[in-house]
C-alpha cells in the first residue's frame, strides 16, 4: 500500500512539473510576443516578416494579431486592407471584452467602406466602456462623417464634457459641418458653458471677433474668473492685438477683481492704487525702464486722496527718458476732455506735455499746453474727438524741445486726479 502511494505521488508530482513547464513556456511565449509587438514599428521594412512570425509563435495572443493588422493596414493595398480586417476580427474573437480592439476593428471597417459594420464595432466598444471619452469621440465622429449629425454630435459633445481636450476640435468640426452657423452649432452640441467657451476661442481664431465676444458674454461671471480665466486672458490679449479695446476692457474686467478697467475712464487716475514699474497691462499706468526720472508716490503733496505721482529729474542726458502712458477704451466719434492736475518746480528748457494718441494707428489727436512751474495745483485740459474707426486712445507724457545729446532737467513734478469725461 505504501509503495502504491509513493508511485502515485511521484506521478502526480511529475505531471504537475510538466504542467508548470508547459504553463511557463506559454507564459514566456505570450510575453515575448507582447514585447516584440510593442517594440517593433509596423511601418518598418521587416515588420511584415515579424508579424507573420508572431502569429505562428503566439497564435492565441490578440496583440500579435493586432500587430499584424497594423502592418497590413500601413500598405494601403486593397488586398492588405482585407487581411488587416481579418486580423482585427480575429483579435476581437480572442479578446471580446477589450474596447480598444473593437475601436480598431471599427476603424478598419470604415476603411473598406463598411459603415454599418463599423458602427456595430463602435457600439460594442461603447457598451464595454460607456464613460470613456475616446470611445464617444471616435464613434461620434464616424456618425458625423456619414451625415448622422444629431446622434454624432451628441456623442462628440459628451466626449468634450468628459475631456476638455476635445472641446476645441469638436467646435472646429461643428463650425465646418454647419458652415459657420453658430446657432446650428449650439443646437447640435448644446448651449453650455464649455461650448460657448470653445466658440469664443474658435471664432476668434477665424477672425470673427464680434461673435467670439458674444459667445464669451454668454458665460457666467463665476466661470469667467475660475474655469475659463486663461481663456479670458487669451481673448483679452488677442483683442488688444486686433485693436478692439472696448471688448478687451470688458473681458479684462470679467476676469479680475482689482484694477478693473472701464470704457471712457482713466484707471487709477488718482494713483491711490500705486504705480508698478515695468507693468505690461496697457489699461493701467505703464512706466518703462529708464535712467530718469525717478518715479514714485508722494503722500506729502497731493491734491486729493492719499497719494500723487512724483517725478524727480536730475539728468543732463537726452537719452534714457522713461515713458509713462495708459491706454483707455473709448467710444468712437465722441467728444472728450482729458484733465490732468499738476504742480511743478523744474529747471529745464525742455517742454513736457501730455498727448492723446489714437491707439489704433498711434497718430496724435491732441496735446496739452506745456507743464510750467507752479506751486499750486494747476489743471491741464485737453479736448479731443475720437476717430470713427477707433475705440481706444493712449495718454502719454512726452518731452519736446531737446536737440542733440544733452537735455538738462532738474526738479520735480507731481501729477494727480487725471480724469476723462465725455462732452
Amino acid at each position: 500500500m505504501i509503495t502504491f502511494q509513493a508511485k502515485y505521488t511521484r506521478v502526480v508530482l511529475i505531471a504537475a512539473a510538466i504542467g508548470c513547464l508547459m504553463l511557463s513556456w506559454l507564459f514566456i511565449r505570450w510575453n515575448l510576443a507582447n514585447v516584440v509587438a510593442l517594440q517593433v514599428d509596423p511601418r518598418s521594412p521587416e515588420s511584415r516578416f515579424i508579424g507573420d512570425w508572431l502569429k505562428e509563435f503566439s497564435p492565441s495572443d490578440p496583440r500579435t494579431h493586432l500587430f499584424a493588422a497594423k502592418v497590413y493596414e500601413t500598405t494601403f493595398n486593397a488586398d492588405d486592407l482585407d487581411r488587416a480586417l481579418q486580423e482585427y476580427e480575429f483579435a476581437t474573437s480572442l479578446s471580446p471584452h477589450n474596447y480598444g480592439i473593437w475601436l480598431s476593428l471599427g476603424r478598419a471597417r470604415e476603411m473598406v467602406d463598411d459603415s454599418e459594420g463599423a458602427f456595430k464595432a463602435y457600439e460594442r466598444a461603447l457598451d464595454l466602456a460607456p464613460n470613456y471619452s475616446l470611445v464617444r469621440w471616435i464613434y461620434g465622429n464616424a456618425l458625423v462623417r456619414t451625415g448622422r449629425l444629431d446622434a454624432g454630435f451628441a456623442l462628440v459633445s459628451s466626449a468634450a464634457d468628459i475631456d476638455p481636450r476635445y472641446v476645441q476640435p469638436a467646435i472646429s468640426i461643428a463650425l465646418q459641418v454647419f458652415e459657420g452657423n453658430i446657432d446650428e452649432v449650439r443646437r447640435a452640441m448644446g448651449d453650455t458653458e464649455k461650448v460657448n467657451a470653445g466658440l469664443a476661442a474658435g471664432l476668434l481664431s477665424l477672425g470673427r471677433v464680434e461673435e467670439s465676444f458674444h459667445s464669451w458674454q454668454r458665460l457666467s461671471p463665476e466661470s469667467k474668473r475660475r474655469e475659463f480665466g486663461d481663456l479670458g486672458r487669451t481673448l483679452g490679449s488677442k483683442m488688444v492685438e486686433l485693436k478692439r479695446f472696448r471688448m478687451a476692457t470688458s473681458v479684462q474686467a470679467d476676469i479680475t477683481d482689482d484694477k478693473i478697467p472701464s470704457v471712457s475712464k482713466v484707471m487709477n487716475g488718482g494713483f491711490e492704487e500705486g504705480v508698478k514699474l515695468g507693468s505690461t497691462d496697457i489699461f493701467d499706468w505703464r512706466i518703462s525702464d529708464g535712467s530718469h526720472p525717478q518715479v514714485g508716490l508722494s503722500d506729502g503733496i497731493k491734491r486729493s486722496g492719499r497719494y500723487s505721482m512724483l517725478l524727480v529729474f536730475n539728468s543732463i542726458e537726452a537719452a534714457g527718458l522713461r515713458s509713462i502712458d495708459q491706454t483707455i477704451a473709448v467710444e468712437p466719434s465722441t467728444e472728450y476732455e482729458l484733465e490732468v492736475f499738476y504742480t511743478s518746480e523744474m529747471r529745464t528748457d525742455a517742454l513736457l506735455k501730455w498727448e492723446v494718441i489714437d491707439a489704433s494707428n498711434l497718430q496724435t489727436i491732441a496735446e496739452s499746453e506745456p507743464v510750467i512751474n507752479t506751486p499750486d495745483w494747476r489743471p491741464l485740459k485737453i479736448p479731443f474727438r475720437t476717430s470713427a474707426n477707433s475705440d481706444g486712445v493712449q495718454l502719454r507724457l512726452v518731452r519736446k524741445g531737446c536737440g542733440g545729446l544733452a537735455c538738462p532737467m532738474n526738479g520735480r513734478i507731481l501729477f494727480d486726479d487725471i480724469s476723462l469725461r465725455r462732452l
Side-chain angles (χ1 to χ4, degrees):
M1 187 69 177
I2 295 175
T3 303
F4 174 78
Q5 287 182 343
K7 289 181 179 180
Y8 180 75
T9 301
R10 191 178 300 114
V11 170
V12 171
L13 291 174
I14 293 172
I18 293 173
C20 288
L21 289 172
M22 292 178 65
L23 288 174
S24 297
W25 172 238
L26 290 173
F27 179 77
I28 291 170
R29 289 179 63 180
W30 185 285
N31 280 275
L32 177 61
N34 268 263
V35 170
V36 174
L38 288 172
Q39 295 298 322
V40 177
D41 186 348
R43 295 166 296 181
S44 63
E46 67 277 5
S47 62
R48 197 180 190 92
F49 167 79
I50 294 174
D52 292 337
W53 174 77
L54 285 175
K55 287 193 297 178
E56 294 180 3
F57 185 71
S58 186
S60 60
D61 183 355
R63 193 175 296 278
T64 63
H65 295 278
L66 279 175
F67 177 81
K70 291 176 183 177
V71 170
Y72 298 139
E73 188 180 307
T74 56
T75 68
F76 294 103
N77 179 286
D79 292 336
D80 282 346
L81 283 178
D82 288 337
R83 294 186 66 183
L85 182 59
Q86 292 172 11
E87 293 298 337
Y88 281 126
E89 298 273 9
F90 193 55
T92 57
S93 69
L94 293 172
S95 184
H97 301 293
N98 187 320
Y99 78 93
I101 300 179
W102 284 103
L103 289 179
S104 297
L105 175 60
R107 184 169 50 82
R109 286 176 174 173
E110 279 196 272
M111 293 176 69
V112 297
D113 296 324
D114 180 10
S115 297
E116 293 304 321
F119 295 152
K120 291 179 181 179
Y122 292 144
E123 189 65 39
R124 177 58 179 154
L126 187 62
D127 289 340
L128 292 169
N131 298 317
Y132 281 28
S133 58
L134 176 63
V135 179
R136 297 183 179 211
W137 176 256
I138 293 176
Y139 190 9
N141 272 273
L143 290 168
V144 169
R145 284 193 293 271
T146 57
R148 304 183 188 188
L149 301 183
D150 288 343
F153 277 113
L155 284 170
V156 166
S157 180
S158 65
D161 285 337
I162 297 171
D163 190 340
R165 292 177 299 177
Y166 290 121
V167 172
Q168 209 53 56
I171 294 296
S172 297
I173 292 169
L175 285 171
Q176 184 177 3
V177 169
F178 295 112
E179 299 179 345
N181 188 314
I182 302 172
D183 291 334
E184 285 296 311
V185 173
R186 290 196 179 104
R187 184 194 64 78
M189 298 191 61
D191 192 0
T192 66
E193 298 264 276
K194 288 183 179 179
V195 169
N196 283 304
L199 279 170
L203 291 168
L204 189 66
S205 68
L206 295 173
R208 297 167 64 175
V209 184
E210 296 277 353
E211 292 162 305
S212 169
F213 179 66
H214 292 153
S215 293
W216 168 260
Q217 287 185 308
R218 295 173 82 98
L219 304 180
S220 68
E222 295 77 14
S223 65
K224 287 176 181 177
R225 296 193 180 193
R226 297 176 184 173
E227 185 178 358
F228 301 113
D230 288 341
L231 171 61
R233 282 181 279 276
T234 299
L235 293 179
S237 296
K238 186 64 176 179
M239 287 170 178
V240 167
E241 180 184 325
L242 295 172
K243 312 297 184 184
R244 308 300 291 269
F245 297 104
R246 283 178 297 172
M247 292 182 188
T249 294
S250 178
V251 172
Q252 183 166 324
D254 285 337
I255 62 175
T256 186
D257 291 318
D258 56 0
K259 291 190 176 182
I260 299 175
S262 301
V263 176
S264 304
K265 183 178 180 181
V266 178
M267 181 185 288
N268 192 24
F271 306 101
E272 299 304 298
E273 299 173 14
V275 290
K276 182 179 179 182
L277 302 182
S279 172
T280 59
D281 182 358
I282 69 166
F283 297 119
D284 197 359
W285 292 112
R286 295 189 303 178
I287 302 172
S288 69
D289 294 333
S291 56
H292 64 95
Q294 299 177 48
V295 181
L297 297 176
S298 170
D299 60 359
I301 304 175
K302 69 269 188 180
R303 182 174 179 271
S304 66
R306 296 176 299 165
Y307 302 112
S308 64
M309 182 172 67
L310 170 65
L311 309 183
V312 177
F313 294 85
N314 184 20
S315 173
I316 61 172
E317 298 178 353
L321 185 71
R322 279 177 159 152
S323 64
I324 300 174
D325 64 72
Q326 180 180 142
T327 298
I328 304 171
V330 293
E331 301 293 340
S333 301
T334 302
E335 300 284 345
Y336 285 95
E337 182 180 72
L338 176 69
E339 186 173 52
V340 180
F341 285 90
Y342 74 95
T343 177
S344 174
E345 184 182 351
M346 290 286 296
R347 295 184 303 278
T348 182
D349 292 329
L351 302 177
L352 288 173
K353 300 182 177 184
W354 283 94
E355 281 188 342
V356 179
I357 299 167
D358 188 324
S360 66
N361 57 25
L362 302 184
Q363 298 298 310
T364 300
I365 300 174
E367 65 178 29
S368 72
E369 295 293 324
V371 170
I372 62 174
N373 285 335
T374 172
D376 300 319
W377 287 99
R378 182 184 181 94
L380 290 171
K381 296 187 177 183
I382 315 171
F384 64 92
R385 181 178 177 82
T386 57
S387 163
N389 301 316
S390 175
D391 68 348
V393 295
Q394 183 185 87
L395 315 182
R396 182 172 67 181
L397 184 65
V398 297
R399 179 184 65 185
K400 297 186 177 181
C402 282
L405 300 177
C407 186
M409 299 183 74
N410 287 278
R412 68 181 186 180
I413 305 175
L414 295 100
F415 293 105
D416 204 357
D417 295 335
I418 302 176
S419 62
L420 185 67
R421 69 183 182 94
R422 295 178 63 169
L423 298 178

